[in-house]
Amino acid sequence: MSRLPLLCACVLCCAVLSGCAHRGANPALWSLPPTAEGARLAASVAPSDVPLLMWHSVRLSVPCRRLDETFNGALRLEPGNSSLRAVGMGGFGLKAFDLKVTPDSAETHYLNPGLGRMRGMSERIAFCLRRIWLTCRPGAGDSFRAADGTAYLYGREGDVLLEHGFRDGWLVSTKAAGPSESWEITYDGYLPERGVPSSITFTDGRGNYTLWIRLVSQWQEHR
């Protein structure tokens, strides 16, 4: 039997039981003026205007439970990053979840019975997907700063402060801090012909877990 249901249950427990102080930040950085260079960088990661289909290999590490597992996932990202549909598959092709996620809601099409017994599991999965692909993106009006070969854009989404780092024109990191969330995403191994990273790491400071997401394949769906 796949250990994925047990694994996800432990992730939720860690997210609920553990906590951390969100990162301190210098408020002055969010008061710097926007620039044309910052707007150009933000435009470079603008959402696609056609549906994207992706297949990922995912590794999930939960140090507080000494758990380290891998599984596969299929994801369809709608034009403009307006919504996504994600299906997670455990060992032997066992479906773990099937979710449709928008920037402010989630619809559960399927949840493994083992996961369904854990209150809030769909919301927790949706949170990760939403932060990685749908929300908290760089904006043309973000504050701009350049230092040590890295360009930074400082923005806000609600009460969450965002810091986006760009190196050589590529988005390499997004850090977030707010009253109820603290997380970081790093992007690596960009494929120039596609303009997308081959690997994404999502670290949830409150949940004390890390997701490593490796892009196996991606293609556009032409209508």
Side-chain angles (χ1 to χ4, degrees), residues 128-180:
C128 299
L129 297 172
R130 184 178 294 118
R131 290 298 184 250
I132 294 172
W133 278 287
L134 300 183
T135 63
C136 298
R137 309 295 296 177
D142 288 353
S143 299
F144 176 84
R145 179 176 74 97
D148 301 323
T150 301
Y152 297 95
L153 292 179
Y154 299 92
R156 292 180 174 86
E157 182 146 334
D159 57 5
V160 178
L161 297 178
L162 302 168
E163 177 195 275
H164 307 284
F166 289 80
R167 192 171 298 120
D168 297 326
W170 301 105
L171 178 64
V172 295
S173 66
T174 294
K175 299 178 182 180
S180 61

Side-chain angles (χ1 to χ4, degrees), residues 187-203:
Y187 308 88
D188 196 16
Y190 272 89
L191 306 173
E193 67 278 10
R194 299 181 186 176
V196 298
S198 60
S199 66
I200 299 172
T201 303
F202 179 90
T203 302

